[in-house]
Amino acid sequence: MTGEDFATLLDAFTHAAESGDGARFAQHFTEDGVYYDYIYGPHRGRADIAHMMQGLFHRDATDYRWEMFDPVFDGHQGYAWSLSSFTSTIPQFAGKRIVIDGMSRFVIRDGLIAEYRESVNGGVAMAQLGVEPARMAKVFSRWSGWLNEQPETQAYLARPKGSRARS
């Protein structure tokens, strides 16, 4: 896969996400692919990824837009900055329009996404929704737990200061 192919994959990936068609979205992943979502957590395999997009995200939001910018790709991993927006359909927040930016990391295998991770400041979305501070603290604590549980985080914390992981 070339950098141009990666940019084409991102365009198809985000259009599929916008469509709300979970199966179409999941086809961009390997059979054993993993999507780490900052709201809904990790989803493994195409069926679970399809459910996350169609059964969770598009259940809770409408008018979804997602665009990737400035993609870079090294033949194995790719990164891109994104903007996304949606209107909440969750009864407590119904009708509130949200816009967020983020960084996405893709691990590519055989032209498909084997692993997707995103880094998004979810506090920005919660502030736009009007989420109460106590609920925000609970969610931030859960996100902190997810970060600290990651094998990469554990390995990083186990190394002494000044040392670096070997690629």
Side-chain angles (χ1 to χ4, degrees):
M1 174 176 280
T2 67
E4 187 174 314
D5 294 333
F6 179 65
T8 300
L9 173 65
L10 296 185
D11 192 49
F13 171 79
T14 54
H15 275 94
E18 290 176 342
S19 79
D21 182 337
R24 176 179 163 200
F25 181 73
Q27 288 302 309
H28 294 91
F29 287 82
T30 60
E31 290 288 340
D32 62 344
V34 183
Y35 186 112
Y36 292 92
D37 186 80
Y38 86 102
I39 296 288
Y40 302 109
H43 294 270
R44 291 174 173 78
R46 287 184 177 159
D48 197 25
I49 291 167
H51 171 71
M52 184 260 328
M53 182 54 64
Q54 188 169 336
L56 299 176
F57 190 85
H58 280 275
R59 173 198 69 193
D60 296 341
T62 190
D63 303 322
Y64 186 47
R65 291 184 58 196
W66 194 11
E67 292 183 36
M68 299 272 177
F69 305 94
D70 307 322
V72 294
F73 185 68
D74 71 1
H76 173 68
Q77 291 185 106
Y79 294 84
W81 173 67
S82 70
L83 285 170
S84 59
S85 60
F86 59 90
T87 301
S88 178
T89 59
I90 297 171
Q92 182 180 0
F93 309 115
K96 292 192 177 183
R97 186 81 176 149
I98 308 306
V99 63
I100 54 176
D101 74 333
M103 290 297 299
S104 298
R105 175 181 167 241
F106 300 82
V107 175
I108 304 298
R109 188 172 69 233
D110 300 326
L112 296 171
I113 302 163
E115 180 179 290
Y116 171 82
R117 293 179 185 261
E118 58 193 1
S119 183
V120 176
N121 185 342
V124 170
M126 289 184 185
Q128 291 173 76
L129 287 169
V131 174
E132 314 82 45
R135 184 172 175 192
M136 290 172 89
K138 182 179 175 183
V139 171
F140 295 163
S141 180
R142 183 176 70 230
W143 290 346
S144 177
W146 286 346
L147 175 61
N148 282 293
E149 291 168 2
Q150 293 297 315
E152 299 88 351
T153 303
Q154 291 292 312
Y156 164 79
L157 293 172
R159 288 193 309 273
K161 181 178 177 180
S163 67
R164 297 291 186 259
R166 306 246 185 229
S167 297

